[in-house]
Amino acid sequence: KHNLDEKLKIIIKAEALAKEADINVAFKELQDLHKIWKEDIGPVSQEMREDVWKKFSEATKKIHS
């Protein structure tokens, strides 16, 4: 539950980065968020894992485009 909450917070931050005017700042912040996602936060429950990753991935794609 705690890990899920933390990952949802990261998704919100990533979605906000899509509105960042400075693309370099957005990419740097996004790299930091990916690092936190992979290294600092543990796994979420199996039934939530795919949905949470899909949301984060979609936010990442918005920034890249």
Side-chain angles (χ1 to χ4, degrees):
K1 175 78 174 130
H2 173 74
N3 292 345
L4 176 61
D5 290 341
E6 292 302 308
K7 288 189 176 191
L8 291 175
K9 289 176 189 175
I10 288 180
I11 291 168
I12 292 168
K13 290 178 183 178
E15 290 171 344
L17 286 177
K19 299 172 185 151
E20 173 62 51
D22 186 336
I23 195 68
N24 292 323
V25 169
F27 277 126
K28 171 72 172 97
E29 288 290 323
L30 183 62
Q31 287 176 337
D32 291 343
L33 292 177
H34 271 275
K35 183 179 185 300
I36 293 167
W37 183 283
K38 292 178 183 175
E39 297 176 10
D40 297 343
I41 301 174
V44 298
S45 64
Q46 186 69 34
E47 61 270 3
M48 294 297 297
R49 193 168 297 155
E50 188 174 333
D51 289 339
V52 173
W53 173 250
K54 191 180 293 185
K55 287 179 185 178
F56 187 48
S57 180
E58 288 172 6
T60 297
K61 287 176 187 174
K62 287 179 188 175
I63 295 166
H64 283 282
S65 64

